[in-house]
């Protein structure tokens, strides 16, 4: 299996060295990070894939505590897939709710853009909010 240095992982994931160390310290990784003979961290392709998943989880608003719980379940191995599925479904519902909320916000903003565009085009923008 190919071993990757921390710098290679930062390039592939977009995470800083500090963030990688933080993820490790906080128990957010699916497997313990291995060390080479000199004590330097070495990562695998699986680690990179997991970290990319974690960045998506975070970008979607998943709390670190939930990522930590999910990672712990993965580290425990087979037998807890229903609990993992439950965590993912809960977050899936949260993301869906957030998307619906954002779609509503976008609709309002789009209407406002149309109004402003019309007023700017007609030269009546100074009449807005009178």
């Amino acid at each position: 299996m190919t071993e990757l240095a921390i710098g290679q992982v930062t390039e592939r994931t977009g995470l800083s060295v500090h963030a990688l160390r933080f993820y490790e310290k906080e128990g957010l990784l699916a497997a313990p990070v291995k060390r080479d003979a000199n004590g330097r961290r070495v990562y695998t392709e699986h680690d990179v894939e997991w970290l990319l998943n974690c960045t998506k989880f975070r970008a979607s608003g998943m709390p670190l505590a939930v990522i930590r719980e999910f990672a712990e379940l993965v580290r425990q191995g087979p037998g807890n897939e229903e609990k993992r599925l439950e965590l993912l479904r809960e977050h899936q519902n949260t993301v869906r709710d957030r998307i619906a909320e954002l779609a509503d916000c976008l609709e309002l903003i789009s209407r406002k853009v149309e109004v402003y565009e019309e007023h700017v085009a007609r030269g009546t923008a100074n009449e807005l909010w009178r």
Side-chain angles (χ1 to χ4, degrees), residues 53-97:
N53 287 341
C54 286
T55 60
K56 294 288 187 189
F57 292 154
R58 286 298 297 143
S60 67
M62 184 181 278
L64 289 176
V66 175
I67 297 173
R68 184 179 302 111
E69 183 178 359
F70 188 72
E72 176 58 33
L73 291 168
V74 170
R75 285 191 300 271
Q76 289 173 11
N80 58 28
E81 293 79 8
E82 287 188 25
K83 179 62 179 164
R84 294 184 218 175
L85 180 58
E86 179 184 331
L87 288 174
L88 291 171
R89 279 189 176 143
E90 286 174 11
H91 187 63
Q92 181 182 45
N93 290 334
T94 299
V95 171
R96 281 189 178 133
D97 291 347

Side-chain angles (χ1 to χ4, degrees), residues 4 9 12-13 43-53:
L4 304 165
V9 176
R12 301 230 345 240
T13 63
Y43 297 85
T44 65
E45 291 293 334
H46 183 264
D47 294 327
V48 170
E49 183 180 336
W50 180 263
L51 287 163
L52 291 171
N53 287 341

Side-chain angles (χ1 to χ4, degrees), residues 93-117:
N93 290 334
T94 299
V95 171
R96 281 189 178 133
D97 291 347
R98 183 69 178 134
I99 289 170
E101 180 183 0
L102 287 171
D104 186 51
C105 293
L106 180 59
E107 186 179 320
L108 169 72
I109 293 165
S110 295
R111 284 194 314 266
K112 292 294 183 187
V113 165
E114 288 175 12
V115 168
Y116 273 77
E117 286 175 340

